[in-house]
Amino acid sequence: MTQNDAPRAPLGPDAAEVVSRTLQALASPTRFRIVDRLRLGALTVGDIASAIDVEPSAVSHQLRLLREAGIVRGRRVGRSVMYALFDDHLEELIEQTIQHAEHVRLAAVNLLKYETE
């Protein structure tokens, strides 16, 4: 939130359900790796499978779930389907999630270091 943004009202139950479903869709390590890879640009199922070392059939299954959650979109190009992130908000969400996880990891390392001194 920037200084010029007005505070957002608390989420109601319906909105919380939608947000929760989005986060649940990202809660799989394989799906998160797919989405992280798509931050670099659109790819086919085969390209994604090669990039993250997962079978194409598993990637296809995960992409279906990500499409249903509104996280990725597919665009037919000839005989292939190119998958991309639905929008730029997802890039920000993924980057912030990675940064948060790193901060938590470093805090845990520092806490452990402090406790053993």
Side-chain angles (χ1 to χ4, degrees):
M1 179 185 311
T2 66
Q3 289 179 325
N4 297 331
D5 291 338
R8 183 188 49 71
L11 288 178
D14 293 340
E17 179 67 30
V18 172
V19 172
S20 177
R21 278 196 305 261
T22 299
L23 293 175
Q24 286 173 354
L26 294 171
S28 155
T30 299
R31 288 193 296 268
F32 198 89
R33 290 179 65 215
I34 290 169
V35 171
D36 183 52
R37 183 58 185 83
L38 290 175
R39 288 187 314 146
L40 303 175
L43 295 169
T44 64
V45 169
D47 292 336
I48 296 167
S50 294
I52 67 168
D53 196 29
V54 173
E55 289 296 320
S57 60
V59 170
S60 290
H61 174 71
Q62 301 301 334
L63 284 167
R64 180 182 60 78
L65 297 172
L66 291 167
R67 257 192 344 265
E68 290 171 357
I71 294 171
V72 301
R73 57 186 164 79
R75 179 176 52 90
R76 185 162 294 283
V77 178
R79 300 177 90 190
S80 298
V81 176
M82 300 295 291
Y83 289 92
L85 295 180
F86 187 81
D87 62 23
D88 293 341
H89 295 110
L90 290 158
E91 278 186 56
E92 294 173 35
L93 175 64
I94 298 306
E95 186 58 36
Q96 288 181 5
T97 302
I98 292 168
Q99 288 177 8
H100 173 71
E102 182 63 10
H103 289 156
V104 170
R105 186 190 69 77
L106 290 174
V109 167
N110 288 335
L111 180 61
L112 182 61
K113 183 178 166 184
Y114 174 77
E115 289 176 348
T116 58
E117 290 179 350

